Amino acid sequence: MISIFNRKELLITYDMKKQSDVRTVLKNHKIEYKVKVKSILSPTPLSSGSRAHMATVGIDLSKAYEYKIYVKISDYEKALYLMNTDV
């Protein structure tokens, strides 16, 4: 099980296809991973979000989500190698 104490960030991307490809490689090699998805348009406790002020005018919606992929620290080197060779 991956927790905040035994994980390392493998990738941050705004590209849905890239995160999907990396997840497929990790799954095919039986490397456990965790994905966090954050909408850059959603409001936060400190901000009402850009969408509340501008709707989606001029915003590239294909880049509206940030994907963070984490793996176990012990799997990090292998995952990094596979991500850079298989994707």
Side-chain angles (χ1 to χ4, degrees), residues 33-70:
Y33 63 89
K34 183 171 186 166
V35 179
K36 285 197 169 189
V37 181
K38 177 180 149 187
S39 171
I40 62 169
L41 301 177
S42 296
T44 66
L46 302 176
S47 166
S48 59
S50 61
R51 187 172 183 181
H53 299 294
M54 305 182 342
T56 54
V57 176
I59 296 175
D60 182 359
L61 295 177
S62 69
K63 306 291 186 200
Y65 294 95
E66 175 187 76
Y67 303 93
K68 290 184 180 182
I69 300 178
Y70 299 93

Side-chain angles (χ1 to χ4, degrees), residues 21-38:
D21 292 345
V22 169
R23 291 172 64 184
T24 299
V25 168
L26 295 174
K27 183 179 177 183
N28 289 344
H29 289 87
K30 296 179 178 35
I31 296 176
E32 187 179 359
Y33 63 89
K34 183 171 186 166
V35 179
K36 285 197 169 189
V37 181
K38 177 180 149 187

